[in-house]
Amino acid sequence: MFARLNGSTIRPINIGRELLATIDSIEPSTVADTHFEIAMNSVDLKVFAEVERHLVRELAEAATQHAEKIGVRHDAPFVVTLKTNDQIKTGRFEISSKPSAPPASDVDQQVATTIISATPQLVSASLVLNNSERITLDGDSLKIGRQASCRVVFNDSNVSREHAQMRRTADGWKILDLGSTNGTKINGRKIETEQLLVNGDELLFGTSGARFEIS
């Protein structure tokens, strides 16, 4: 998770919380806007320059996962951009939303726009194994199986050598069974195709289990 950045009193985690609160305020019967703009003074925006690409990716992932969790409908992937507004006092920010995707970024303004694929962690995704071991999902993909080269290894004969694969997508983390002998289940249901994971999903690889968590 990002720490406080030197030179600005704005904390990335507070931006994330405000973004999720904005999604919480969406009426269940409506379709959510998918382009969020985070406006701040140019002094603050300059401080965010080095982490901006990571930050907007994580904010977009947070928006996607939260919308899935609370059942908010959206017709396109969430996109987040940072922009300058010097009418806003330093140390403050404002969030606004639009229904359509933004135009290409203006290089001169160095506005970074991206459709998810998170890392350094406003949002941290993990697998919590049945023995309470927590494995942070810190890459873009990983394999699960009995083979030692897998990122998540189960010493279980009911788990295939390469049992399943997880990958980060524009909608969040997805899982695919790799033709395993005993199959992969989500919340007790065997999957046949790649499936999107949401916070709290219980996974079963043969007879070995794990829980998908987002924090």
Side-chain angles (χ1 to χ4, degrees):
M1 186 176 292
F2 286 121
R4 186 190 299 272
L5 299 175
N6 293 330
S8 175
T9 58
I10 298 175
R11 296 183 62 191
I13 190 64
N14 290 338
I15 298 176
R17 288 170 178 164
E18 186 67 24
L19 176 61
L20 299 192
T22 300
I23 295 174
D24 282 334
S25 68
I26 298 172
E27 291 292 334
S29 60
T30 62
V31 178
D33 291 344
T34 56
H35 175 208
F36 291 95
E37 290 185 336
I38 315 297
M40 63 183 70
N41 191 282
S42 58
V43 173
D44 290 308
L45 189 61
K46 184 177 180 180
V47 175
F48 278 87
E50 290 187 3
V51 300
E52 186 174 347
R53 292 178 63 84
H54 292 308
L55 177 61
V56 295
R57 285 183 353 198
E58 291 189 16
L59 290 171
E61 184 177 64
T64 300
Q65 297 287 0
H66 192 63
E68 292 287 344
K69 179 180 179 180
I70 66 175
V72 169
R73 296 185 298 129
H74 53 101
D75 292 338
F78 286 105
V79 176
V80 177
T81 57
L82 304 186
K83 71 173 187 178
T84 299
N85 183 343
D86 284 334
Q87 294 183 350
I88 299 174
K89 294 181 179 180
T90 57
R92 297 180 180 274
F93 63 90
E94 295 179 0
I95 298 179
S96 60
S97 62
K98 299 179 181 180
S100 58
S105 299
D106 184 336
V107 176
D108 293 334
Q109 293 182 343
Q110 297 182 337
V111 177
T113 302
T114 184
I115 303 176
I116 317 179
S117 183
T119 57
Q121 317 278 321
L122 249 184
V123 172
S124 177
S126 304
L127 284 181
V128 181
L129 308 187
N130 286 346
N131 63 3
S132 298
E133 179 184 359
R134 180 179 295 272
I135 299 175
T136 300
L137 307 182
D138 52 7
D140 290 326
S141 67
L142 60 91
K143 286 184 178 179
I144 300 163
R146 196 174 73 251
Q147 187 167 273
S149 60
C150 292
R151 174 71 173 84
V152 181
V153 179
F154 289 105
N155 185 20
D156 181 351
S157 61
N158 291 297
V159 176
S160 296
R161 290 172 62 82
E162 290 190 345
H163 195 106
Q165 177 171 298
M166 294 179 63
R167 68 186 184 96
R168 200 191 308 265
T169 73
D171 295 321
W173 280 96
K174 291 186 177 182
I175 189 166
L176 175 69
D177 184 81
L178 296 177
S180 66
T181 301
N182 294 307
T184 300
K185 294 181 179 180
I186 301 176
N187 301 323
R189 179 175 296 181
K190 188 175 182 178
I191 64 173
E192 303 295 339
T193 59
E194 189 175 51
Q195 299 293 314
L196 177 68
L197 295 173
V198 298
N199 187 42
D201 274 346
E202 296 288 344
L203 309 179
L204 192 64
F205 310 99
T207 56
S208 293
R211 183 174 64 257
F212 178 74
E213 288 189 356
I214 298 168
S215 59

Coordinates of all heavy atoms in Angstrom, one line a residue, residues 121-191:
Q121 N 0.2 -1.4 -3.9 CA -1.0 -1.8 -3.4 C -1.8 -0.8 -2.6 O -1.7 -0.7 -1.4 CB -0.9 -3.1 -2.7 CG 0.0 -4.1 -3.3 CD -0.7 -4.9 -4.4 OE1 -1.8 -5.2 -4.2 NE2 -0.1 -5.1 -5.5
L122 N -2.7 -0.1 -3.4 CA -3.9 0.5 -2.7 C -4.8 -0.7 -2.5 O -5.5 -0.8 -1.5 CB -4.5 1.5 -3.7 CG -4.5 2.9 -3.3 CD1 -5.2 3.7 -4.3 CD2 -4.9 3.2 -1.9
V123 N -4.9 -1.6 -3.5 CA -5.7 -2.8 -3.3 C -4.7 -4.0 -3.3 O -3.9 -4.1 -4.2 CB -6.6 -2.9 -4.6 CG1 -7.3 -4.3 -4.5 CG2 -7.6 -1.8 -4.6
S124 N -4.8 -4.8 -2.3 CA -4.0 -6.0 -2.2 C -4.8 -7.2 -2.3 O -5.7 -7.4 -1.5 CB -3.2 -5.9 -0.8 OG -2.4 -7.1 -0.7
A125 N -4.5 -8.0 -3.3 CA -5.2 -9.3 -3.5 C -4.4 -10.4 -3.0 O -3.1 -10.4 -3.2 CB -5.6 -9.5 -5.0
S126 N -5.0 -11.4 -2.3 CA -4.2 -12.5 -1.7 C -5.0 -13.8 -1.8 O -6.2 -13.8 -2.0 CB -3.9 -12.2 -0.3 OG -3.3 -11.0 -0.1
L127 N -4.3 -14.9 -1.8 CA -4.9 -16.2 -1.5 C -4.5 -16.6 -0.1 O -3.3 -16.6 0.3 CB -4.3 -17.2 -2.5 CG -4.9 -17.2 -3.9 CD1 -4.2 -18.3 -4.8 CD2 -6.4 -17.3 -4.0
V128 N -5.5 -16.9 0.7 CA -5.3 -17.4 2.0 C -5.5 -18.9 2.1 O -6.7 -19.4 1.8 CB -6.2 -16.7 3.0 CG1 -5.9 -17.2 4.5 CG2 -6.1 -15.2 3.0
L129 N -4.5 -19.7 2.3 CA -4.6 -21.1 2.2 C -5.2 -21.7 3.5 O -5.4 -20.9 4.5 CB -3.2 -21.8 2.1 CG -2.3 -21.2 0.9 CD1 -1.1 -22.1 0.7 CD2 -3.1 -21.2 -0.4
N130 N -5.6 -22.9 3.5 CA -6.3 -23.5 4.6 C -5.4 -23.5 5.9 O -6.0 -23.6 7.0 CB -6.8 -24.9 4.3 CG -8.0 -24.9 3.4 OD1 -8.6 -23.8 3.2 ND2 -8.4 -26.0 2.8
N131 N -4.1 -23.5 5.7 CA -3.2 -23.5 6.8 C -2.9 -22.1 7.3 O -2.0 -21.8 8.1 CB -1.9 -24.2 6.5 CG -1.1 -23.5 5.4 OD1 -1.5 -22.5 4.9 ND2 0.0 -24.1 5.0
S132 N -3.7 -21.1 6.8 CA -3.6 -19.7 7.2 C -2.5 -18.9 6.5 O -2.3 -17.7 6.7 CB -3.6 -19.4 8.7 OG -4.7 -20.0 9.3
E133 N -1.7 -19.6 5.7 CA -0.6 -18.9 4.9 C -1.3 -18.0 3.9 O -2.2 -18.3 3.2 CB 0.2 -19.9 4.2 CG 1.3 -19.3 3.4 CD 2.2 -20.3 2.5 OE1 1.9 -21.5 2.6 OE2 3.1 -19.8 1.8
R134 N -0.8 -16.7 3.9 CA -1.3 -15.7 3.0 C -0.3 -15.5 1.8 O 0.9 -15.2 2.1 CB -1.6 -14.4 3.7 CG -2.1 -13.3 2.8 CD -2.4 -12.1 3.6 NE -3.4 -12.3 4.6 CZ -4.7 -12.1 4.3 NH1 -5.1 -11.7 3.1 NH2 -5.6 -12.3 5.3
I135 N -0.7 -15.7 0.6 CA 0.1 -15.5 -0.6 C -0.4 -14.2 -1.3 O -1.5 -14.2 -1.9 CB 0.1 -16.7 -1.5 CG1 0.7 -17.9 -0.7 CG2 0.9 -16.4 -2.7 CD1 0.6 -19.2 -1.5
T136 N 0.4 -13.2 -1.3 CA 0.1 -11.9 -2.0 C 0.2 -12.1 -3.5 O 1.2 -12.6 -4.0 CB 1.0 -10.8 -1.5 OG1 0.8 -10.6 -0.1 CG2 0.6 -9.5 -2.3
L137 N -0.8 -11.7 -4.2 CA -0.8 -11.8 -5.7 C -0.2 -10.5 -6.2 O -0.8 -9.5 -6.5 CB -2.3 -11.9 -6.2 CG -3.1 -13.1 -5.6 CD1 -4.5 -13.2 -6.2 CD2 -2.3 -14.4 -5.7
D138 N 1.1 -10.6 -6.4 CA 1.9 -9.4 -6.7 C 2.4 -9.3 -8.2 O 3.1 -8.5 -8.5 CB 3.1 -9.2 -5.8 CG 3.9 -10.5 -5.7 OD1 3.7 -11.4 -6.5 OD2 4.8 -10.5 -4.9
G139 N 1.9 -10.2 -9.0 CA 2.3 -10.1 -10.4 C 1.0 -10.0 -11.3 O -0.1 -9.7 -10.8
D140 N 1.2 -10.3 -12.6 CA 0.0 -10.2 -13.5 C -0.6 -11.6 -13.7 O -1.7 -11.7 -14.2 CB 0.4 -9.6 -14.8 CG 0.7 -8.1 -14.7 OD1 0.1 -7.4 -13.8 OD2 1.6 -7.6 -15.4
S141 N 0.1 -12.6 -13.4 CA -0.4 -14.0 -13.6 C 0.4 -15.0 -12.7 O 1.5 -14.7 -12.3 CB -0.4 -14.5 -15.0 OG 1.0 -14.6 -15.5
L142 N -0.2 -16.1 -12.4 CA 0.5 -17.1 -11.6 C -0.2 -18.5 -11.8 O -1.4 -18.5 -12.2 CB 0.4 -16.8 -10.1 CG -0.9 -16.6 -9.4 CD1 -1.4 -17.9 -8.8 CD2 -0.8 -15.6 -8.3
K143 N 0.5 -19.5 -11.6 CA 0.0 -20.9 -11.7 C -0.1 -21.5 -10.4 O 0.7 -21.2 -9.5 CB 0.8 -21.7 -12.7 CG 0.7 -21.4 -14.1 CD 1.5 -22.3 -15.0 CE 1.2 -21.9 -16.5 NZ 2.0 -22.8 -17.4
I144 N -1.1 -22.4 -10.2 CA -1.3 -23.1 -9.0 C -1.3 -24.6 -9.3 O -1.9 -25.1 -10.3 CB -2.7 -22.7 -8.4 CG1 -2.8 -21.2 -8.2 CG2 -3.1 -23.5 -7.2 CD1 -4.2 -20.7 -8.0
G145 N -0.5 -25.3 -8.5 CA -0.5 -26.8 -8.8 C 0.5 -27.5 -7.8 O 0.9 -26.9 -6.8
R146 N 0.8 -28.7 -8.1 CA 1.7 -29.5 -7.3 C 3.1 -29.4 -7.7 O 4.0 -29.7 -6.9 CB 1.3 -31.0 -7.5 CG 1.8 -31.9 -6.4 CD 1.3 -33.3 -6.5 NE 1.8 -34.1 -7.6 CZ 1.2 -34.4 -8.7 NH1 -0.1 -34.1 -8.8 NH2 1.7 -35.1 -9.7
Q147 N 3.4 -28.9 -8.9 CA 4.7 -28.7 -9.4 C 5.4 -27.6 -8.7 O 4.9 -26.5 -8.5 CB 4.7 -28.5 -10.9 CG 6.0 -28.4 -11.7 CD 5.8 -28.5 -13.1 OE1 5.7 -29.6 -13.7 NE2 5.7 -27.3 -13.8
A148 N 6.7 -27.8 -8.4 CA 7.5 -26.8 -7.6 C 7.6 -25.4 -8.3 O 7.8 -24.4 -7.7 CB 8.9 -27.3 -7.3
S149 N 7.5 -25.4 -9.7 CA 7.6 -24.2 -10.4 C 6.4 -23.3 -10.3 O 6.4 -22.1 -10.7 CB 8.0 -24.4 -11.9 OG 6.9 -25.2 -12.5
C150 N 5.3 -23.8 -9.8 CA 4.1 -23.0 -9.6 C 4.3 -22.0 -8.5 O 5.0 -22.2 -7.6 CB 2.9 -23.9 -9.3 SG 2.4 -25.0 -10.6
R151 N 3.6 -20.8 -8.7 CA 3.6 -19.8 -7.6 C 3.0 -20.2 -6.3 O 3.5 -19.9 -5.2 CB 2.9 -18.5 -8.2 CG 2.8 -17.4 -7.2 CD 4.2 -16.7 -6.9 NE 4.0 -15.6 -6.0 CZ 3.9 -15.6 -4.7 NH1 3.9 -16.7 -4.1 NH2 3.7 -14.4 -4.0
V152 N 1.9 -21.0 -6.5 CA 1.2 -21.5 -5.3 C 1.3 -23.1 -5.4 O 0.7 -23.6 -6.4 CB -0.3 -21.1 -5.2 CG1 -1.0 -21.7 -4.0 CG2 -0.4 -19.6 -5.2
V153 N 2.0 -23.7 -4.5 CA 2.2 -25.1 -4.6 C 1.5 -25.8 -3.5 O 1.6 -25.5 -2.3 CB 3.7 -25.4 -4.4 CG1 4.0 -26.9 -4.5 CG2 4.5 -24.7 -5.5
F154 N 0.7 -26.9 -3.9 CA 0.0 -27.8 -2.9 C 0.7 -29.1 -3.0 O 0.8 -29.7 -4.0 CB -1.4 -27.9 -3.2 CG -2.3 -26.7 -3.0 CD1 -2.7 -25.9 -4.0 CD2 -2.6 -26.3 -1.7 CE1 -3.4 -24.7 -3.8 CE2 -3.4 -25.2 -1.4 CZ -3.8 -24.4 -2.5
N155 N 1.2 -29.6 -1.8 CA 1.7 -31.0 -1.7 C 0.6 -32.0 -1.5 O 0.4 -32.5 -0.4 CB 2.7 -31.0 -0.6 CG 3.4 -32.4 -0.5 OD1 3.5 -33.1 -1.5 ND2 4.0 -32.7 0.6
D156 N -0.2 -32.2 -2.6 CA -1.4 -32.9 -2.5 C -1.6 -33.7 -3.8 O -1.6 -33.1 -4.9 CB -2.6 -31.9 -2.3 CG -3.9 -32.6 -2.2 OD1 -4.0 -33.8 -2.4 OD2 -4.9 -31.9 -1.9
S157 N -1.7 -35.0 -3.7 CA -1.8 -35.9 -4.9 C -3.1 -35.6 -5.7 O -3.2 -36.0 -6.9 CB -1.7 -37.3 -4.5 OG -2.7 -37.7 -3.6
N158 N -4.0 -35.0 -5.0 CA -5.3 -34.7 -5.7 C -5.2 -33.4 -6.6 O -6.1 -33.0 -7.3 CB -6.4 -34.5 -4.7 CG -6.8 -35.9 -4.1 OD1 -7.2 -36.8 -4.7 ND2 -6.5 -36.0 -2.8
V159 N -4.1 -32.7 -6.4 CA -3.8 -31.5 -7.2 C -2.9 -31.8 -8.4 O -1.9 -32.5 -8.2 CB -3.2 -30.4 -6.3 CG1 -2.8 -29.2 -7.1 CG2 -4.1 -30.0 -5.1
S160 N -3.3 -31.4 -9.5 CA -2.5 -31.7 -10.7 C -1.2 -30.9 -10.7 O -1.1 -29.9 -10.0 CB -3.3 -31.3 -12.0 OG -4.4 -32.2 -12.1
R161 N -0.2 -31.3 -11.5 CA 1.1 -30.6 -11.5 C 0.9 -29.1 -11.9 O 1.5 -28.3 -11.2 CB 2.0 -31.3 -12.6 CG 2.4 -32.7 -12.1 CD 3.2 -33.4 -13.2 NE 4.4 -32.7 -13.6 CZ 5.5 -32.8 -12.9 NH1 5.6 -33.6 -11.8 NH2 6.6 -32.1 -13.3
E162 N 0.1 -28.8 -12.9 CA -0.3 -27.5 -13.2 C -1.8 -27.5 -13.2 O -2.4 -27.8 -14.2 CB 0.3 -27.0 -14.5 CG 1.8 -26.7 -14.4 CD 2.4 -26.0 -15.7 OE1 1.6 -26.0 -16.7 OE2 3.5 -25.6 -15.6
H163 N -2.4 -27.1 -12.1 CA -3.8 -27.3 -11.9 C -4.7 -26.1 -12.4 O -5.7 -26.3 -13.1 CB -4.0 -27.5 -10.4 CG -5.4 -28.0 -10.0 ND1 -5.6 -29.3 -9.6 CD2 -6.6 -27.5 -10.1 CE1 -6.8 -29.6 -9.4 NE2 -7.5 -28.4 -9.6
A164 N -4.3 -24.9 -12.1 CA -5.1 -23.7 -12.5 C -4.2 -22.5 -12.7 O -3.0 -22.5 -12.3 CB -6.1 -23.4 -11.4
Q165 N -4.7 -21.5 -13.4 CA -3.9 -20.3 -13.6 C -4.8 -19.1 -13.2 O -6.0 -19.1 -13.5 CB -3.5 -20.2 -15.0 CG -2.8 -18.9 -15.4 CD -2.2 -18.9 -16.7 OE1 -1.3 -19.7 -17.1 NE2 -2.6 -18.0 -17.6
M166 N -4.2 -18.1 -12.5 CA -4.9 -16.9 -12.2 C -4.2 -15.8 -13.0 O -3.0 -15.8 -13.2 CB -4.8 -16.6 -10.7 CG -5.6 -17.6 -9.9 SD -5.5 -17.2 -8.1 CE -6.3 -15.6 -8.1
R167 N -5.0 -14.8 -13.5 CA -4.4 -13.6 -14.2 C -5.2 -12.4 -13.9 O -6.4 -12.4 -13.6 CB -4.3 -13.9 -15.7 CG -5.6 -13.9 -16.4 CD -5.5 -14.3 -17.9 NE -6.8 -14.3 -18.5 CZ -7.2 -13.3 -19.2 NH1 -6.5 -12.2 -19.4 NH2 -8.4 -13.3 -19.8
R168 N -4.5 -11.3 -13.9 CA -5.1 -10.0 -13.7 C -5.6 -9.5 -15.0 O -4.9 -9.5 -16.0 CB -4.1 -9.0 -13.1 CG -4.6 -7.8 -12.4 CD -3.6 -6.8 -12.1 NE -2.4 -7.3 -11.4 CZ -2.2 -7.3 -10.1 NH1 -3.2 -6.8 -9.3 NH2 -1.1 -7.8 -9.5
T169 N -6.9 -9.0 -15.0 CA -7.5 -8.5 -16.2 C -8.1 -7.1 -16.0 O -8.0 -6.6 -14.8 CB -8.6 -9.4 -16.7 OG1 -9.7 -9.3 -15.8 CG2 -8.2 -10.9 -16.7
A170 N -8.7 -6.5 -17.0 CA -9.3 -5.2 -16.8 C -10.4 -5.2 -15.8 O -10.8 -4.2 -15.3 CB -9.8 -4.7 -18.2
D171 N -11.0 -6.4 -15.6 CA -12.1 -6.5 -14.7 C -11.7 -6.9 -13.3 O -12.5 -6.9 -12.3 CB -13.2 -7.5 -15.2 CG -13.8 -7.0 -16.4 OD1 -14.1 -5.8 -16.5 OD2 -14.1 -7.8 -17.3
G172 N -10.4 -7.4 -13.1 CA -10.0 -7.9 -11.9 C -9.3 -9.3 -12.0 O -9.0 -9.7 -13.2
W173 N -9.1 -10.0 -11.0 CA -8.5 -11.3 -11.0 C -9.4 -12.4 -11.5 O -10.6 -12.5 -11.1 CB -7.9 -11.7 -9.7 CG -6.6 -11.1 -9.3 CD1 -6.4 -9.9 -8.6 CD2 -5.3 -11.5 -9.8 NE1 -5.1 -9.6 -8.5 CE2 -4.4 -10.6 -9.2 CE3 -4.9 -12.6 -10.5 CZ2 -3.0 -10.7 -9.4 CZ3 -3.5 -12.7 -10.7 CH2 -2.6 -11.8 -10.2
K174 N -8.9 -13.2 -12.5 CA -9.7 -14.3 -13.0 C -9.0 -15.6 -12.8 O -7.7 -15.6 -12.7 CB -10.1 -14.1 -14.5 CG -11.0 -13.0 -14.8 CD -11.4 -12.9 -16.2 CE -12.4 -11.8 -16.5 NZ -12.8 -11.8 -17.9
I175 N -9.7 -16.7 -12.8 CA -9.1 -18.0 -12.6 C -9.6 -19.0 -13.7 O -10.7 -18.9 -14.1 CB -9.3 -18.6 -11.2 CG1 -8.5 -19.8 -11.0 CG2 -10.8 -18.9 -11.0 CD1 -8.4 -20.3 -9.5
L176 N -8.6 -19.8 -14.2 CA -8.9 -20.8 -15.2 C -8.4 -22.2 -14.8 O -7.2 -22.3 -14.4 CB -8.3 -20.4 -16.5 CG -8.4 -21.3 -17.7 CD1 -9.9 -21.4 -18.2 CD2 -7.5 -20.9 -18.9
D177 N -9.2 -23.2 -14.9 CA -8.7 -24.5 -14.7 C -7.9 -25.0 -15.9 O -8.3 -24.7 -17.0 CB -9.9 -25.5 -14.4 CG -9.4 -26.9 -14.1 OD1 -9.0 -27.1 -12.9 OD2 -9.4 -27.8 -15.0
L178 N -6.8 -25.6 -15.7 CA -5.9 -26.0 -16.8 C -6.0 -27.5 -17.1 O -5.1 -28.2 -17.4 CB -4.4 -25.7 -16.4 CG -4.1 -24.2 -16.1 CD1 -2.6 -24.1 -15.7 CD2 -4.3 -23.4 -17.4
G179 N -7.3 -27.9 -17.2 CA -7.5 -29.3 -17.5 C -7.1 -30.3 -16.4 O -6.7 -31.4 -16.7
S180 N -7.2 -29.9 -15.2 CA -6.8 -30.7 -14.1 C -7.6 -32.0 -14.0 O -8.8 -32.0 -14.4 CB -6.9 -29.9 -12.8 OG -8.2 -29.6 -12.5
T181 N -7.1 -33.0 -13.3 CA -7.8 -34.2 -13.1 C -9.0 -34.1 -12.3 O -10.1 -34.6 -12.6 CB -6.9 -35.3 -12.5 OG1 -5.7 -35.5 -13.4 CG2 -7.6 -36.6 -12.3
N182 N -8.9 -33.4 -11.2 CA -10.0 -33.3 -10.2 C -10.8 -31.9 -10.2 O -11.7 -31.7 -9.5 CB -9.5 -33.5 -8.8 CG -9.0 -34.9 -8.6 OD1 -9.7 -35.9 -8.9 ND2 -7.7 -35.1 -8.2
G183 N -10.4 -31.0 -11.1 CA -11.1 -29.8 -11.3 C -10.9 -28.7 -10.3 O -10.2 -28.9 -9.3
T184 N -11.4 -27.5 -10.6 CA -11.3 -26.4 -9.8 C -12.7 -25.9 -9.5 O -13.5 -25.8 -10.4 CB -10.5 -25.2 -10.5 OG1 -9.2 -25.7 -10.8 CG2 -10.4 -24.0 -9.6
K185 N -13.0 -25.6 -8.2 CA -14.3 -25.1 -7.8 C -14.2 -23.7 -7.2 O -13.3 -23.4 -6.5 CB -14.9 -26.1 -6.8 CG -15.2 -27.5 -7.4 CD -15.9 -28.4 -6.4 CE -16.2 -29.7 -6.9 NZ -16.8 -30.6 -5.9
I186 N -15.3 -22.9 -7.4 CA -15.5 -21.7 -6.7 C -16.8 -21.8 -5.9 O -17.8 -22.0 -6.5 CB -15.5 -20.5 -7.7 CG1 -14.3 -20.4 -8.6 CG2 -15.8 -19.2 -7.0 CD1 -14.4 -19.3 -9.7
N187 N -16.6 -21.6 -4.6 CA -17.8 -21.7 -3.8 C -18.6 -23.0 -4.0 O -19.8 -23.0 -4.0 CB -18.7 -20.5 -3.9 CG -17.9 -19.2 -3.6 OD1 -17.1 -19.1 -2.7 ND2 -18.2 -18.1 -4.4
G188 N -17.8 -24.1 -4.2 CA -18.5 -25.4 -4.3 C -18.9 -25.7 -5.7 O -19.4 -26.9 -6.0
R189 N -18.8 -24.8 -6.7 CA -19.2 -25.1 -8.1 C -18.0 -25.2 -9.0 O -17.2 -24.4 -9.1 CB -20.1 -23.9 -8.5 CG -20.6 -24.1 -10.0 CD -21.6 -23.0 -10.4 NE -22.8 -23.1 -9.5 CZ -23.8 -22.3 -9.7 NH1 -23.8 -21.3 -10.6 NH2 -24.9 -22.4 -8.9
K190 N -18.0 -26.3 -9.7 CA -16.9 -26.6 -10.6 C -16.9 -25.7 -11.8 O -18.0 -25.4 -12.4 CB -16.9 -28.1 -11.1 CG -15.7 -28.5 -11.9 CD -15.8 -30.0 -12.2 CE -14.6 -30.4 -13.0 NZ -14.6 -31.9 -13.3
I191 N -15.8 -25.1 -12.1 CA -15.7 -24.1 -13.3 C -15.3 -24.8 -14.5 O -14.5 -25.8 -14.5 CB -14.8 -23.0 -13.0 CG1 -13.3 -23.4 -12.8 CG2 -15.3 -22.2 -11.7 CD1 -12.4 -22.3 -12.7

